[in-house]
Amino acid sequence: MKKTFKLNIEGKNRDRVLDAVKHEIRKYVKRERRRELPEGVDFWDFDCRFGATEAEAVVVHFATLTGLIDGIATAGGEQFYVEILASHGRRQARPAGADPRE
């Protein structure tokens, strides 16, 4: 998904547009996670970029995406760009003696 979302749409409540955008992103991620995993892959990971425009987008972690969207909306931004690409994830073994709670 590579998309620029506009938050100020004439005739629509800004808060409802923001909720709809978050729903669309969650729906996309849910659909991608349902895809069949290739051989040797443990899970679907997501490579994300976020910014006010496509040119300003920087690499971010997927878990921080909702907070960044809220930040743009709170700051009064007109639009933002999100890029979410599914990638192959492989689990890494913990080093011996590492604390499992970290």
Side-chain angles (χ1 to χ4, degrees), residues 48-82:
C48 302
R49 292 180 54 213
F50 181 85
T53 64
E54 185 174 359
E56 298 173 5
V58 294
V59 175
V60 296
H61 190 270
F62 177 72
T64 63
L65 209 53
T66 304
L68 293 169
I69 292 170
D70 288 337
I72 288 279
T74 303
E78 297 287 322
Q79 68 180 16
F80 61 89
Y81 173 79
V82 174

Side-chain angles (χ1 to χ4, degrees), residues 7-71:
L7 295 176
N8 293 331
I9 300 173
E10 189 174 333
K12 295 193 178 189
N13 185 321
R14 183 178 166 93
D15 294 334
R16 299 296 73 79
V17 172
L18 186 61
D19 288 341
V21 166
K22 290 178 187 178
H23 176 73
E24 185 176 339
I25 290 171
R26 288 182 188 117
K27 192 166 91 172
Y28 172 78
V29 169
K30 199 173 193 180
R31 182 174 57 237
E32 288 296 308
R33 284 186 174 152
R34 280 195 311 255
R35 288 188 3 211
E36 188 173 326
L37 291 170
E39 190 68 33
V41 175
D42 296 324
F43 61 96
W44 287 112
D45 196 12
F46 295 96
D47 299 327
C48 302
R49 292 180 54 213
F50 181 85
T53 64
E54 185 174 359
E56 298 173 5
V58 294
V59 175
V60 296
H61 190 270
F62 177 72
T64 63
L65 209 53
T66 304
L68 293 169
I69 292 170
D70 288 337

